[in-house]
Amino acid sequence: MILETINEASALAADLHTIADVCAKAPDGVETYVNDILGWVKYGVIAIIIGAGFASIGALVIGKLGSMGRAAQVGASGLMWTIGGAVAFVVIYGILSGIVGNGC
C-alpha cells in the first residue's frame, strides 16, 4: 500500500515536471506580427522613460537656476517617478520573459 502511494506520487511529480517545461508560442503565421508589436511597445516605453528623464532633469535645472522652487520640486518628483517607471518596466519585462520563455 505504501509502495503504491510512493509510485503514484513519483509519477505525479514527473507529470508536473513535464507540464512546467511547456513554452508559450504565438499561433502559426502571427509570430512576425507579435514580434513587431512587442518590439514597438518595448522601444516606445524605453523612449518615453528617456524623454521623461530628460524633461524632469530640465525642469529641475531650470527651477534651480531660475529660483523657481515649484519647478524644481516638480522636476525632482518627475525624476523619482521616471526611475520608478524604469524599475517597473524592467520587473514587468522580466516577469513576462519568464512566463513566455526564451529559446523554446
Side-chain angles (χ1 to χ4, degrees), residues 18-102:
T18 57
I19 291 172
D21 290 339
V22 175
C23 292
K25 291 190 326 185
D28 294 334
V30 208
E31 188 172 341
T32 56
Y33 301 115
V34 170
N35 289 340
D36 288 343
I37 291 170
L38 289 178
W40 279 101
V41 168
K42 178 181 175 182
Y43 287 106
V45 169
I46 291 171
I48 290 171
I49 289 171
I50 291 171
F54 280 130
S56 297
I57 290 172
L60 188 63
V61 168
I62 289 173
K64 286 293 184 182
L65 293 178
S67 297
M68 295 180 272
R70 181 69 180 145
Q73 185 180 14
V74 168
S77 175
L79 195 57
M80 291 299 119
W81 280 105
T82 302
I83 292 170
V87 168
F89 172 71
V90 169
V91 169
I92 291 170
Y93 187 75
I95 290 171
L96 289 177
S97 294
I99 291 171
V100 174
N102 294 329

Side-chain angles (χ1 to χ4, degrees), residues 7-17:
N7 286 338
E8 288 176 12
S10 64
L12 180 62
D15 288 341
L16 290 177
H17 179 67

